[in-house]
Amino acid sequence: MYAQMIKSEATQDDPEKLAAFQARIDRGEKIEPKDWMPEGYRKTLIRQIGQHAHSEIVGQLPEGNWITRAPSLERKVNLLAKVQDEAGHGLYLYCAAETLGVSRDALTEMLLDGRMKYSSIFNYPTLTWADMGAVGWLVDGAAIMNQVPLQRTSYGPYARAMVRICKEESFHQRQGYHLLLKMMAGTDDQKRMCQDALNRFWYPALMMFGPSDKDSVHSAQSMAWKIKMNTNDELRQKFVDETVPQAEYLGLTVPDDGLVWNDARGHYDFTQPDWSEFYNVLQGNGPCNAERMAARRKAWDDGAWVRDAMLAHGQKKAARRKAAE
Ligand code: 3HC
């Protein structure tokens, strides 16, 4: 899909080069932008980092929606900071992707014309203030579960971007949990809002880890290349195991009748998400897909004059420099 953007490498199929590359990965070495890499490795990284970057940017929308309605100055400042952090994460990740030979403009255009995805979770609406707590606790919580191992991913620029991102995501997770703790100490209506938020976000959060391992197209190769460090199901299980006691501490009920601690496995048994809903959202039919894409398209169109002005300025500067030579 990205072949046209990616520099062709005459040696890409050279078995010796491939073996040497895999040996570097197996030894735990980092691959850096100027190192030789197989075409598939580069494409997979562009796909994953690009999708990740788009998720950070689109992820600002459901929460940005609540900044003007935050119930106190402190909560407003927290939420503002969180949304700004997400923009920053998007930019680190676009920069990491650019080291693979693809421009940020090209990545954005691929998002807008449907060739690239963003995380399914951001196609769900944020209906009440309690959703700000649930998003921080569950969505950022799931993101951290996935991203902490990615700090050890084999591609240097991606791994380094993840270090900073994870520090900020953990602040996001805590502020969401803190918000729910406060609301759960409040009125019955506030408690009901928290339970309703958990009911709506639980399964979409589980879907963030991707399809079950048997349906994951990329996991096997991505794990061999250490682009992914764990399978989708491993991370989903870890998330459930860590999150259920947190829900209990809040006094909330996880909306899953099949949820039960399994002593023999040392894990919770739980009901899988409705995968038909997941694929439906991926196909653009979630509750907010159209709204999210319209917002991104508008932002891109509204920013065209800035990109044009920067380009014209750059061209003028280059022409002046050339004339002076
Ligand atoms: N949403 C949208 N698409 C998803 C998805 C999800 N939750 N999970 C999987 N998919 C897509 C994959 O992109 C792939 O489609 P493609 O071939 O067209 O690209 C297809 O479903 C099959 O899934 P695979 O398991 O084979 O795909 P991956 O190996 O790429 O695994 C992943 C999916 C676990 C999400 C992996 O890409 C990953 O770890 N990505 C990095 C983390 C990331 O992108 N996180 C976004 C979370 S949101 C966020 O961080 C914002 C923060 O502020 C909360």
Side-chain angles (χ1 to χ4, degrees):
M1 176 156 65
Y2 308 114
Q4 71 277 18
M5 309 164 334
I6 295 167
K7 290 179 210 131
S8 76
E9 295 268 358
T11 47
Q12 63 178 295
D13 292 319
D14 179 339
E16 268 182 41
K17 282 208 157 200
L18 281 175
F21 178 81
Q22 189 61 50
R24 289 190 65 193
I25 303 261
D26 295 344
R27 284 195 298 271
E29 285 178 27
K30 291 278 177 258
I31 307 301
E32 296 298 338
K34 288 187 177 161
D35 295 347
W36 182 84
M37 60 186 80
E39 204 54 16
Y41 179 84
R42 189 195 302 270
K43 282 186 198 172
T44 303
L45 277 170
I46 291 175
R47 183 184 60 77
Q48 181 167 314
I49 302 175
Q51 169 170 313
H52 193 166
H54 297 324
S55 304
E56 300 282 356
I57 299 296
V58 176
Q60 294 176 96
L61 297 169
E63 291 178 289
N65 174 38
W66 277 92
I67 290 171
T68 54
R69 289 175 287 167
S72 70
L73 181 61
E74 189 193 349
R75 290 290 173 203
K76 191 192 286 268
V77 170
N78 280 352
L79 191 58
L80 258 176
K82 178 180 191 295
V83 172
Q84 284 176 345
D85 285 350
E86 308 298 3
H89 298 173
L91 298 187
Y92 308 151
L93 289 164
Y94 283 129
C95 288
E98 280 182 324
T99 65
L100 292 155
V102 55
S103 72
R104 184 172 150 191
D105 284 9
L107 290 168
T108 306
E109 278 155 16
M110 286 194 283
L111 171 72
L112 296 181
D113 69 18
R115 279 178 291 158
M116 284 189 90
K117 297 184 166 80
Y118 58 92
S119 181
S120 51
I121 189 72
F122 300 119
N123 293 305
Y124 291 86
T126 44
L127 302 178
T128 72
W129 177 248
D131 288 9
M132 293 303 95
V135 168
W137 171 40
L138 299 173
V139 175
D140 291 81
I144 296 170
M145 200 59 79
N146 167 283
Q147 290 169 20
V148 165
L150 291 179
Q151 295 176 104
R152 292 179 285 111
T153 192
S154 60
Y155 188 57
Y158 191 26
R160 290 188 287 273
M162 292 318 305
V163 173
R164 186 148 171 202
I165 291 176
C166 284
K167 287 206 171 91
E168 292 173 351
E169 296 291 15
S170 78
F171 152 72
H172 300 166
Q173 197 259 357
R174 280 170 212 194
Q175 68 85 28
Y177 196 72
H178 184 257
L179 191 163
L180 291 173
L181 266 177
K182 285 273 176 197
M183 284 185 78
M184 287 301 289
T187 64
D188 285 348
D189 274 347
Q190 286 176 309
K191 290 177 190 165
R192 265 194 296 274
M193 278 165 68
C194 295
Q195 183 62 56
D196 173 60
L198 174 59
N199 293 349
R200 283 181 288 105
F201 277 95
W202 177 252
Y203 284 108
L206 295 190
M207 292 175 196
M208 285 176 70
F209 297 97
S212 65
D213 290 352
K214 68 178 169 42
D215 296 319
S216 170
V217 191
H218 303 290
S219 280
Q221 181 60 74
S222 291
M223 286 182 65
W225 278 331
K226 295 190 184 162
I227 288 174
K228 272 171 96 163
M229 307 302 288
N230 303 87
T231 73
N232 301 352
D233 285 337
E234 279 168 12
L235 291 173
R236 194 171 5 258
Q237 180 73 63
K238 197 160 187 274
F239 176 77
V240 172
D241 290 348
E242 287 192 15
T243 308
V244 170
Q246 294 169 2
E248 283 166 0
Y249 187 77
L250 283 169
L252 292 172
T253 307
V254 173
D256 177 1
D257 292 339
L259 184 74
V260 58
W261 178 255
N262 182 327
D263 238 348
R265 289 202 314 121
H267 293 290
Y268 281 96
D269 290 339
F270 62 97
T271 308
Q272 289 293 315
D274 174 354
W275 292 116
S276 63
E277 176 182 324
F278 171 75
Y279 287 113
N280 201 34
V281 170
L282 258 55
Q283 278 157 20
N285 304 319
C288 297
N289 291 64
E291 191 183 325
R292 302 291 184 241
M293 288 308 292
R296 285 307 299 134
R297 202 162 284 120
K298 180 173 183 316
W300 186 243
D301 292 346
D302 288 353
W305 70 270
V306 180
R307 295 191 299 279
D308 290 347
M310 297 297 283
L311 198 66
H313 178 68
Q315 281 165 348
K316 215 168 157 187
K317 245 175 113 175
R320 263 206 304 267
R321 206 179 307 122
K322 206 163 174 209
E325 278 169 8

